[in-house]
Amino acid sequence: MSQQGYVAAPPYSQSQPGIGGFSAGFGPPNSSLHYGHYGDPNSYSAPQPGVSKSTVPFGSSAPVGPPPPGTHQFSQTNFQNGPSTPGQQPHRFQGPPPPSSTGPSYPPYSHQSQPAYPNTVSTSPTAQLANQLNSMQINSYGPGTTPSSRISSGHPASFQGPQLPPPTQQQIALPPGSQVPPPANNVNGLCAQPSLPPVARQDGIPGPVPPDPNLQQLSGQPPGPGYHPQPANYGPQMAGSQLSYPGAFPGGLAQLPGPQQKKLDPDSIPSPIQVIENDKASRGGQIYATNTRGQVPPLVTTDCVIQDQGHASPRYIRCTTYCFPSSSDMAKQARIPLAAVIQPFAIVPPNETPLYVVNHGETGPIRCNRCKAYMCPFMQFIEGGRRYQCGFCNCINDVPPFFFQHLDHIGRRIDHYERPELSLGSYEYVATLDYCRNNKPPKPPAYIFMIDVSYRNINSGLVKLICDELKTLLDKLPREEQEESSAIRVGFVTYNKVLHFFNVKSSLAQPQMMVVSDVGEVFVPLLDGFLVNFQESRSVVINLLDQIPEMFADTNESETIFAPVIQAGMEALKAAECAGKLFIFHSSLPTAEAPGKLRNRDDKKLLNTDKEKTLFQPQVNSYEALARDCVANGCCVNLFLFPNQYVDVASMGLVTMYTGGTLYKYNNFQLDADSPQFLSDLRKDVEKKTGFDAIMRVRTSTGFRATDFFGAIYMNNTTDVEMAAVDCDKAVTVEFKHDDKLNEDSGALIQCAVLYTSISGQRRLRIHNIGLNCSSQLADVYKTCETDALTNFFAKSAFKAILSQPLKMVREILVNQTAHMLACYRKNCASPSAVSQLILPDAMKVLPVYMNCLLKSCVLVGRPEIPTDERAYHRQLVMSMGVADTQLFFYPQLLPIHSLDLKGDTVPAALRCSEERLSEGGAFLLANGLSMFLWLGVSTPPELIQGLFNVPSFAHISTEATSLPDLDNPFSKKLKSILEHIQSRKPYTMKLIIVKQREQPEMLFRQFLVEDKSIYGGASYVDFLCCVHKEICQLLS
């Protein structure tokens, strides 16, 4: 597999010592304080690395006419690196920052007035392209050997082994004669930031194009209106590690004298869309067999058929790299996180085989005596089949007599292919009573519906909507394939300041209500008749659902409780001795006198201060204790929120997060506009296949171990991941660290076992196994990286880190981590080239664009315009997402709808998320898994408008609609089928927002054009690439 590096080349003024705390040659940092990432083996409990979104002012429009040569575009915040101070490695997310790191490296986002639509790009794309082609320098880099001199710069001795021939590379190279001497002003952290040169690709573009001697540095967009240089704000420079992130402070787009430069052509830098399309072209529609250890699967965006032949399907497990470095020194040097994203209940398409269930009767699953790993393809049978050696701990075990089988001529059991546990990567075991609570078989789970019947919910029609929907939805409760009806029992509670329980026993003529007004000490007033089988009690339940809206029709109670509601549901499940889910429909801050009472603590003054992190923490401790009790009792909480103001999602969503539940939020809920979205979410959730009362453990072969876990999970100790429930959309991201050297022959083996109760009440074990390679060559590690899994890991670790660290620091660590991984590749794996070239490993060439998207996410950007609840909500959703969901969330899909092929089945190819890709005469669909936009240009053809909206012209389109009318024409049908296709793969229902060019809602849409500068001050992709390149050059100099 060729590994191409991408190379970009800003000329840098002077070489500088390594980033504070790192010795220039990437040796071990000269300080004993390892905070987190790859520090000493005991540091794994430190907070994790994460990802964050950065800030670059959105107000910068491109110059009109051809830009003059020269200005250095990007702000360079504090790039001066004094002596490295101990304690300042930007290793991973650290604990509270040492006092010396107070330099304003990511200064506060300041809010300044900007034009409403600043980003009009004026240079025509054709002209830009022409400029690019003139200046493109195309070299042909064949593989060559790395001179040994390159490994000597302060490199730890352990790496001076033989080096692989470097891979072929794609480079972004700067033509000769293009160095513009930077201004000497580096005092106030505003020093010139070079920009990216054109990319020269080396996959076979013919012939060198003569370089253009007049080409000055190419650059991103010039500063926009409204930004003044403010050097004085920042005080003296601090020594130590400080990162600059382009445009991270007002005046940041270096307002330095001098002529401007040509704008870099975005087509010349790595495109995520190109990477996705190339993978589809080479691997789409094919069968991917998991029969080889360490092979890299197709991307999450590629449709293929997966055949389990001994390693778990990538639908269940994806890794950040499929080849682990053999030693911890190598791992520290590359700083590539070693992690797996595990989605144990992922949906398998109908054309793939569902999991086999193995039942060994009363003896139960066969396990290694020493490490307790379950029988799997990594066990080696010896002595004629009488014993086996565990692949995880190498212990020799006896084969139980009932399981004995002879071996064939290659030492494999004769029944190898007949037993799923010997030949497949994923399968299930029926568990014995030893695996059950109190050694008793579990009962089927229960669903309890808990409805807030306060004034607002009754008045808005929400309560009636929920009750009407439940009448039909309860017929669709999930069941096992072979069963006629669902075994799940249901119960009903309504509440405002008090709780109302309902007895819906099948023998009753009318439901009975019991009120619990002592919300301080909640108890369940009835056992018999609260949880019932819907089919048996159908008439009583339907009667109740008809009565609820009427019963509370005259209420004027506006205060609500919340924690006692969860407590009541949990106590009911506990009394019934079963696990289950609570479906809570709630709309306001719980201000009534009761446990868990909350106040409005939303304070914009905390943004960009060290106290900002408190906004993401629960405001009272009682919710954590409640979550712990829920998990202990197998009670999962699904929360549907309908707020019209601040409701403190960070506190209210905590129990949902810890219990493996799902949080849904519908701001300013309007019955007609928002019902379809809410009802679709509710239906999906009720019908989901789910494992209840689950506990997951990840075992590894010797030499490394799981150290950190991220997800909608609760951890009582360091090894057991507890989930009151786990559904098909929830993923747990697990980070691994070395505790010894890994053996290249035996590789790195991982087994994930989930013990759970099925929807029919059977206790089962779901096992997923995967084998990875190990290598002492860094190039092998880089070659098998998966960018989408890395993005998932960085997002979750950053989003966890913000609970304990300042956001500014989390963003810095992300930028530094990106630069460090790429610099290590450049130093150890790439063919020699000029320092001014940016070289990216092929498997990671689009990592910078995803990292920049993460840095710009609302969670990591503290701006007063972004509601705190929205940030807490996004944070919580991302924490439990799988790889496919984070990929779409951070880099949305943008489709040109005007070029639909009405005859075929094909969907138009996606476009890069940038305003340059939109056209006035087109219609574009954008989806990120939570929102969906249909953007219409002012000159969209009338026939297209007629076909989709049944109105004659652009002016007649109403942006109030949240769905397209059902029309009988090919255009409308095709677009509807595309919308359904995108929707079918995502856990959340996306509400369609119609956006007309140059109208106010366009501002919301623009935030999703993630390659552009952000309205909230995040860098464009081009600027970020320059910033990362500058970091790399500093690390290497």
Side-chain angles (χ1 to χ4, degrees):
M1 177 173 166
S2 80
Q3 193 167 343
Q4 302 147 338
Y6 245 116
V7 206
Y12 288 121
S13 45
Q14 70 266 37
S15 72
Q16 308 200 5
I19 291 210
F22 279 109
S23 48
F26 271 119
N30 43 4
S31 121
S32 59
L33 275 166
H34 296 287
Y35 283 103
H37 211 106
Y38 300 123
D40 64 337
N42 306 320
S43 69
Y44 73 84
S45 57
Q48 281 59 1
V51 191
S52 71
K53 298 210 173 172
S54 70
T55 52
V56 171
F58 180 72
S60 26
S61 52
V64 182
T71 334
H72 301 286
Q73 274 334 103
F74 306 110
S75 85
Q76 214 19 28
T77 325
N78 305 342
F79 242 102
Q80 214 166 312
N81 283 307
S84 339
T85 17
Q88 254 173 289
Q89 293 76 279
H91 253 6
R92 236 246 350 256
F93 294 108
Q94 319 180 345
S100 58
S101 66
T102 49
S105 37
Y106 266 105
Y109 295 90
S110 90
H111 182 51
Q112 297 188 333
S113 59
Q114 297 157 0
Y117 295 113
N119 253 10
T120 43
V121 179
S122 38
T123 346
S124 78
T126 358
Q128 282 175 18
L129 193 59
N131 293 343
Q132 291 317 318
L133 291 171
N134 286 341
S135 61
M136 208 175 261
Q137 172 184 327
I138 298 175
N139 309 331
S140 165
Y141 259 53
T145 38
T146 318
S148 57
S149 62
R150 291 192 33 250
I151 353 179
S152 61
S153 62
H155 222 33
S158 56
F159 298 112
Q160 303 197 4
Q163 296 260 327
L164 283 185
T168 51
Q169 315 190 13
Q170 293 169 309
Q171 309 180 213
I172 307 175
L174 198 75
S178 63
Q179 206 127 345
V180 183
N185 151 4
N186 187 13
V187 194
N188 294 310
L190 278 170
C191 89
Q193 162 110 316
S195 50
L196 279 180
V199 178
R201 291 173 203 261
Q202 281 159 340
D203 17 16
I205 296 180
V209 179
D212 171 354
N214 306 320
L215 180 77
Q216 302 297 346
Q217 286 170 255
L218 300 166
S219 148
Q221 304 168 342
Y227 285 90
H228 317 290
Q230 296 169 316
N233 282 1
Y234 295 100
Q237 284 262 161
M238 305 298 296
S241 68
Q242 283 148 344
L243 294 167
S244 107
Y245 187 60
F249 61 98
L253 288 160
Q255 251 62 4
L256 297 165
Q260 295 184 324
Q261 299 137 355
K262 292 189 180 172
K263 185 169 175 302
L264 174 60
D265 175 18
D267 286 327
S268 62
I269 54 179
S271 155
I273 299 302
Q274 197 55 54
V275 168
I276 289 168
E277 292 302 324
N278 291 350
D279 194 70
K280 281 182 181 168
S282 61
R283 308 180 80 171
Q286 301 177 11
I287 289 179
Y288 171 75
T290 66
N291 54 8
T292 313
R293 189 182 79 194
Q295 63 178 339
V296 181
L299 296 180
V300 282
T301 41
T302 299
D303 275 330
C304 59
V305 178
I306 294 160
Q307 247 179 28
D308 184 340
Q309 294 187 5
H311 296 270
S313 155
R315 299 190 197 286
Y316 298 120
I317 303 184
R318 281 187 175 268
C319 299
T320 51
T321 173
Y322 288 82
C323 177
F324 277 15
S326 52
S327 69
S328 67
D329 284 346
M330 259 181 93
K332 282 175 190 153
Q333 190 187 7
R335 285 193 31 202
I336 294 170
L338 307 177
V341 185
I342 304 174
Q343 200 163 333
F345 284 80
I347 291 176
V348 171
N351 59 353
E352 293 177 18
T353 321
L355 297 194
Y356 289 97
V357 180
V358 179
N359 191 346
H360 287 324
E362 289 179 13
T363 53
I366 299 171
R367 306 178 68 177
C368 168
N369 291 327
R370 184 195 290 163
C371 70
K372 300 292 182 238
Y374 295 85
M375 177 56 67
C376 69
F378 306 146
M379 306 298 189
Q380 187 64 47
F381 289 87
I382 53 175
E383 295 178 23
R386 286 189 300 280
R387 308 176 94 186
Y388 68 90
Q389 182 172 20
C390 173
F392 296 92
C393 68
N394 300 321
C395 172
I396 306 280
N397 297 271
D398 290 328
V399 172
F402 83 90
F403 196 66
F404 172 79
Q405 184 54 272
H406 294 286
L407 308 184
D408 64 12
H409 64 286
I410 55 167
R412 195 159 60 185
R413 285 175 52 130
I414 295 168
D415 62 355
H416 177 85
Y417 289 108
E418 290 150 38
R419 290 194 176 271
E421 71 272 35
L422 301 182
S423 55
L424 298 177
S426 303
Y427 42 89
E428 293 202 309
Y429 278 118
V430 174
T432 56
L433 290 179
D434 303 342
Y435 294 89
C436 301
R437 258 181 216 273
N438 314 321
N439 290 41
K440 292 198 323 211
K443 295 181 181 170
Y447 284 2
I448 303 178
F449 297 90
M450 314 184 86
I451 307 170
D452 163 1
V453 289
S454 59
Y455 173 77
R456 218 184 101 220
N457 284 3
I458 292 286
N459 216 30
S460 68
L462 178 62
V463 173
K464 185 172 185 334
L465 180 74
I466 293 167
C467 292
D468 288 348
E469 177 61 29
L470 288 178
K471 289 180 214 170
T472 53
L473 191 51
L474 293 174
D475 275 323
K476 298 179 187 151
L477 292 170
R479 57 187 167 83
E480 296 287 356
E481 308 293 332
Q482 67 280 8
E483 292 179 359
E484 288 193 11
S485 66
S486 175
I488 292 172
R489 290 172 297 161
V490 293
F492 304 87
V493 173
T494 57
Y495 65 94
N496 37 47
K497 266 165 65 170
V498 296
L499 291 150
H500 322 107
F501 286 78
F502 295 94
N503 182 345
V504 283
K505 200 172 173 179
S506 57
S507 55
L508 296 173
Q510 285 284 334
Q512 295 169 347
M513 175 161 100
M514 297 181 184
V515 179
V516 175
S517 51
D518 179 6
V519 291
E521 292 292 325
V522 176
F523 67 96
V524 180
L526 75 159
L527 283 180
D528 189 30
F530 177 62
L531 293 178
V532 299
N533 177 305
F534 175 63
Q535 302 305 341
E536 291 169 15
S537 294
R538 174 188 292 270
S539 61
V540 195
V541 169
I542 299 249
N543 198 335
L544 169 68
L545 294 171
D546 283 333
Q547 289 181 33
I548 288 175
E550 291 160 19
M551 214 181 299
F552 300 99
D554 302 327
T555 186
N556 51 12
E557 184 54 74
S558 58
E559 281 198 308
T560 55
I561 53 175
F562 182 65
V565 181
I566 297 175
Q567 182 83 32
M570 180 194 75
E571 297 289 353
L573 293 174
K574 190 174 172 180
E577 296 184 332
C578 69
K581 268 190 198 182
L582 309 182
F583 290 79
I584 303 180
F585 305 91
H586 189 93
S587 66
S588 57
L589 199 65
T591 52
E593 278 309 323
K597 173 183 175 179
L598 298 174
R599 60 185 171 78
N600 185 339
R601 54 154 182 177
D602 191 16
D603 184 0
K604 300 293 186 201
K605 291 198 282 296
L606 298 182
L607 299 184
N608 302 303
T609 70
D610 282 353
K611 290 207 176 118
E612 183 170 7
K613 57 180 179 270
T614 60
L615 296 173
F616 296 104
Q617 299 163 357
Q619 63 171 278
V620 289
N621 295 335
S622 54
Y623 284 102
E624 297 214 21
L626 183 56
R628 193 170 52 243
D629 290 348
C630 284
V631 172
N633 289 289
C635 169
C636 167
V637 179
N638 274 350
L639 179 56
F640 293 80
L641 279 175
F642 303 88
N644 58 2
Q645 55 198 28
Y646 178 75
V647 290
D648 198 350
V649 168
S651 299
M652 293 188 72
L654 190 81
V655 180
T656 298
M657 172 97 150
Y658 277 153
T659 58
T662 309
L663 176 61
Y664 299 90
K665 186 157 81 71
Y666 310 93
N667 299 334
N668 304 314
F669 182 81
Q670 301 289 325
L671 204 62
D672 31 355
D674 302 308
S675 303
Q677 182 191 12
F678 158 58
L679 294 177
S680 165
D681 282 337
L682 178 57
R683 285 170 200 147
K684 276 189 188 177
D685 204 305
V686 166
E687 295 170 24
K688 263 180 196 177
K689 286 277 166 64
T690 303
F692 296 88
D693 198 10
I695 185 158
M696 175 171 114
R697 190 171 269 199
V698 178
R699 293 180 172 85
T700 56
S701 50
T702 50
F704 73 114
R705 66 198 160 111
T707 56
D708 275 304
F709 299 86
F710 314 86
I713 54 174
Y714 181 77
M715 297 202 68
N716 231 349
N717 55 36
T718 55
T719 54
D720 296 330
V721 178
E722 298 182 56
M723 297 169 281
V726 53
D727 65 41
C728 52
D729 300 310
K730 300 286 180 295
V732 179
T733 301
V734 184
E735 184 177 14
F736 303 98
K737 296 266 168 73
H738 287 76
D739 42 25
D740 202 352
K741 274 192 87 102
L742 298 178
N743 179 328
E744 296 197 26
D745 296 333
S746 52
L749 310 180
I750 298 167
Q751 182 179 79
C752 160
V754 184
L755 173 64
Y756 73 99
T757 300
S758 72
I759 43 183
S760 59
Q762 189 180 40
R763 202 71 179 146
R764 289 190 185 171
L765 282 150
R766 181 169 281 223
I767 314 290
H768 296 298
N769 305 286
I770 189 168
L772 308 175
N773 289 335
C774 299
S775 174
S776 55
Q777 301 293 334
L778 281 170
D780 294 341
V781 180
Y782 279 95
K783 197 158 50 186
T784 59
C785 279
E786 188 186 289
T787 296
D788 295 328
L790 282 167
T791 306
N792 179 284
F793 172 83
F794 282 125
K796 290 187 183 183
S797 43
F799 286 9
K800 183 172 177 180
I802 61 172
L803 293 177
S804 54
Q805 292 169 61
L807 267 80
K808 174 182 150 199
M809 192 171 187
V810 173
R811 289 193 298 261
E812 272 172 25
I813 289 165
L814 286 172
V815 179
N816 177 257
Q817 176 90 25
T818 309
H820 201 108
M821 293 189 296
L822 298 174
C824 177
Y825 174 81
R826 168 69 188 261
K827 185 173 204 302
N828 300 290
C829 313
S831 5
S833 59
V835 170
S836 58
Q837 293 185 311
L838 170 60
I839 300 184
L840 304 171
D842 194 51
M844 271 190 193
K845 63 187 176 197
V846 291
L847 182 67
V849 76
Y850 282 104
M851 288 295 256
N852 189 37
C853 294
L854 171 58
L855 284 160
K856 291 196 286 191
S857 76
C858 70
V859 180
L860 295 178
V861 172
R863 285 293 291 257
E865 310 91 317
I866 306 173
T868 305
D869 272 348
E870 206 58 27
R871 299 173 70 197
Y873 175 59
H874 282 190
R875 177 185 170 272
Q876 183 157 335
L877 298 194
V878 169
M879 285 307 286
S880 64
M881 279 183 182
V883 178
D885 291 340
T886 48
Q887 188 278 329
L888 186 66
F889 181 73
F890 290 111
Y891 195 94
Q893 188 174 21
L894 181 64
L895 301 175
I897 293 304
H898 50 275
S899 54
L900 283 183
D901 167 17
L902 299 179
K903 303 217 170 31
D905 290 338
T906 55
V907 172
L911 300 171
R912 295 175 69 166
C913 289
S914 168
E915 195 184 4
E916 295 187 346
R917 313 287 159 172
L918 303 177
S919 57
E920 291 196 350
F924 298 82
L925 181 71
L926 183 142
N928 76 338
L930 290 186
S931 313
M932 200 180 252
F933 295 89
L934 180 57
W935 182 93
L936 301 155
V938 285
S939 354
T940 309
E943 56 276 17
L944 175 55
I945 292 172
Q946 184 71 47
L948 292 181
F949 298 97
N950 205 17
V951 295
S953 72
F954 181 79
H956 292 82
I957 298 170
S958 159
T959 51
E960 300 298 305
T962 53
S963 63
L964 295 172
D966 283 312
L967 301 174
D968 189 12
N969 68 64
F971 223 101
S972 181
K973 287 180 177 169
K974 178 76 181 185
L975 180 54
K976 287 242 168 174
S977 78
I978 289 176
L979 294 177
E980 279 161 26
H981 176 71
I982 294 173
Q983 187 56 74
S984 66
R985 307 173 157 227
K986 293 295 150 201
Y988 292 91
T989 306
M990 295 174 260
K991 176 174 158 184
L992 182 68
I993 299 167
I994 292 164
V995 175
K996 292 163 76 172
Q997 187 180 3
R998 300 182 194 150
E999 290 192 7
Q1000 190 51 43
E1002 203 183 10
M1003 294 300 277
L1004 180 62
F1005 169 75
R1006 278 166 189 268
Q1007 294 171 38
F1008 297 92
L1009 300 175
V1010 290
E1011 289 198 22
D1012 298 339
K1013 284 192 172 63
S1014 154
I1015 175 175
Y1016 295 127
S1020 69
Y1021 174 25
V1022 171
D1023 293 6
F1024 182 68
L1025 213 43
C1026 294
C1027 162
V1028 167
H1029 187 127
K1030 183 123 184 42
E1031 291 294 324
I1032 293 170
C1033 289
Q1034 290 210 209
L1035 284 167
L1036 293 174
S1037 56

